[in-house]
Amino acid sequence: MRMNRRRFIERAGTTLGAAATLTVSDLSCAQETQSDGGPKVWLHMTQAELDAAYNQRVYAPNMDLVQKRRLAQVAAAKSRLGEPEIFSYGESPMERLLVYRTEKRNAPIQVWVHGGTWRFGSADAQIEKAEPIVNAGGHCILVDFSRVDDEGVSLSDLVRQVRDAVAWVYRRADDINGNRDRIFVSGHSSGGHLAGVLLTTDWANTHDLPLDVIKGGLCASGMFDLTPVRLSWRNSYLKLTDDEVEQLSPQRHIRHLNAPVIVAYGTEETPEFKRQSRDFAAAVKQAGKPVSLLVAEGHNHFEIAETYANPYGLLGNAVLTQMGLVKS
C-alpha cells in the first residue's frame, strides 16, 4: 500500500532537506498530483512540497550509485589525461583553474562550472568533463571557487569569483594557446545557475571587457530565478537578500545575454528544476535571442550530467557542436 503523498513529502522535505531513503513506491507518490493540505507558498506548492522540489534525492533515489559511477569515470579520465596545469585567477586558495589543453594551437576554450548546491564539489572531481573536449580539439578549463558554507562567503562572492575566472581566461588566453574570441561556458545544477549568471553578465560594466566575451553556453538543470529557491529549505544556508535575488537571477538579466544558450533538463528531475529550465528558455526566446531547449528522456538530475562526458551524449554532443568541434 502506497504512502500518503503528504506524509511522504513531509518526511522528505523536513529537517531542511535532509537526505531520505526512498523506495520506488515512495518516488511515485512524490510525483503524483499534490495534495490540498497546507497553505501554498509557491505556485501550487506547500512548504513541504517546495522543499522536496529543491531536494534532488527525493526525485533521484539512485543518486549515490550515479556518484559512484561518475567517480570511476573521473579516475579513468585522469589516468588518460594526466595532471592538469593549475593557474590562480585570484588571491584565495580556492580561486584556481585546472587547465587541460588540446594539442591544437589557438583552440576554442570551454569553461566548466561545477555544481554541488553551491556548497560542495571541486574542479578535481570534474576531470571527466574535459576529456571529450580535449580529444575533439578544444581546451577545457575547470573552475574552482569558494563555497557558501565557508565563513563570510555568500552567493555573491561565488558569482564574483566565476566572473573573475572568465575574465582571467579572456586576458590570458594566449598563455594557454587558446582563442579568446572562442570562449564558451557550461555548468550543471548550481553550476548551471552560475553559468547562467555568466551568460547574462554586463561584462563592460563589471570587468571592462567586450559584451560578447562568451560566445555560447550550456546551462544544464540550473536555477534561473532565485525567488522560489529563497522560499525553500535551501535558504537556510544561502541566506539570500532581496538584492541578491534580483542581481543573481539570470532570468532577470536576459538583456545582457549576447550568445546562443543551450538549456537542458531531464524528464525525471524535480518539478521545479524542469519548470525553471522551461521558463528560462521561454524567456530567452521571447526576448528574441538564440536558445535551444534539450530534454533528456528518462534522465534524472544526476544522470543527465553524465552525458556531458560522452561526445555522443546529449550534453557532450551539444557542447562540441556549439564549439564548432563537430558537425551538427
Side-chain angles (χ1 to χ4, degrees):
M1 183 174 181
R2 295 196 301 182
M3 178 185 301
N4 174 272
R5 173 180 163 79
R6 183 177 178 185
R7 281 179 51 218
F8 163 75
I9 292 294
E10 287 174 350
R11 187 186 73 178
T14 52
T15 66
L16 299 181
T21 301
L22 307 179
T23 66
V24 173
S25 178
D26 289 339
L27 185 61
S28 65
C29 289
Q31 294 171 328
E32 289 177 353
T33 304
Q34 57 96 46
S35 67
D36 293 328
K40 308 300 185 288
V41 298
W42 174 251
L43 301 179
H44 60 280
M45 298 182 184
T46 65
Q47 186 65 62
E49 289 165 340
L50 180 62
D51 288 343
Y54 282 96
N55 181 353
Q56 299 301 343
R57 193 176 288 271
V58 174
Y59 288 82
N62 66 339
M63 170 182 167
D64 293 337
L65 177 63
V66 175
Q67 176 68 356
K68 183 178 180 180
R69 186 166 65 216
R70 199 184 64 77
L71 290 176
Q73 294 170 341
V74 170
K78 189 170 185 179
S79 71
R80 292 186 289 265
L81 292 176
E83 296 293 334
E85 296 177 84
I86 299 178
F87 297 88
S88 296
Y89 66 86
E91 297 181 358
S92 166
M94 292 298 293
E95 295 177 340
R96 63 177 197 155
L97 304 172
L98 275 60
V99 178
Y100 280 101
R101 300 197 210 184
T102 187
E103 294 180 356
K104 295 182 180 180
R105 298 182 62 85
N106 200 37
I109 303 168
Q110 181 67 234
V111 178
W112 168 262
V113 185
H114 70 77
T117 68
W118 303 284
R119 306 169 76 189
F120 309 107
S122 69
D124 292 313
Q126 304 290 320
I127 291 171
E128 87 283 11
K129 307 294 194 305
E131 189 169 26
I133 293 169
V134 171
N135 289 344
H139 301 315
C140 187
I141 299 180
L142 311 170
V143 183
D144 254 337
F145 44 90
S146 299
R147 302 163 181 174
V148 293
D149 284 346
D150 296 341
E151 184 175 358
V153 174
S154 69
L155 185 55
S156 294
D157 295 313
L158 272 62
V159 166
R160 175 191 59 77
Q161 288 176 325
V162 297
R163 283 172 170 166
D164 287 351
V166 169
W168 186 99
V169 171
Y170 180 83
R171 292 179 173 129
R172 301 282 297 275
D174 289 343
D175 294 349
I176 60 170
N177 295 326
N179 187 337
R180 66 170 41 86
D181 294 321
R182 295 178 68 190
I183 296 174
F184 302 82
V185 301
S186 55
H188 171 257
S189 194
S190 56
H193 162 259
L194 293 173
V197 171
L198 291 171
L199 284 159
T200 56
T201 292
D202 181 356
W203 290 102
N205 183 51
T206 63
H207 288 78
D208 194 27
L209 294 178
L211 295 174
D212 63 346
V213 165
I214 298 171
K215 295 303 189 290
L218 165 71
C219 300
S221 308
M223 291 156 281
F224 309 101
D225 179 359
L226 295 179
T227 298
V229 180
R230 189 185 189 190
L231 293 172
S232 79
W233 69 274
R234 289 180 184 249
N235 205 47
S236 64
Y237 61 85
L238 286 171
K239 298 177 173 59
L240 294 168
T241 65
D242 288 343
D243 185 63
E244 285 179 315
V245 170
E246 176 61 33
Q247 296 303 319
L248 308 183
S249 292
Q251 194 159 325
R252 305 187 186 194
H253 302 279
I254 292 173
R255 63 188 181 278
H256 297 306
L257 179 63
N258 290 288
V261 58
I262 302 166
V263 183
Y265 69 91
T267 60
E268 306 309 304
E269 302 214 40
T270 82
E272 271 295 275
F273 275 75
K274 290 189 284 187
R275 182 198 61 78
Q276 287 258 12
S277 293
R278 289 194 298 260
D279 285 3
F280 182 56
V284 173
K285 182 178 180 180
Q286 185 174 11
K289 303 193 176 187
V291 59
S292 300
L293 181 63
L294 302 181
V295 180
E297 186 65 36
H299 288 62
N300 66 33
H301 187 76
F302 303 100
E303 292 165 338
I304 189 176
E306 290 185 290
T307 72
Y308 190 100
N310 181 348
Y312 304 104
L314 183 71
L315 301 187
N317 184 260
V319 165
L320 294 177
T321 300
Q322 188 180 65
M323 295 177 72
L325 297 176
V326 299
K327 294 182 179 180
S328 58

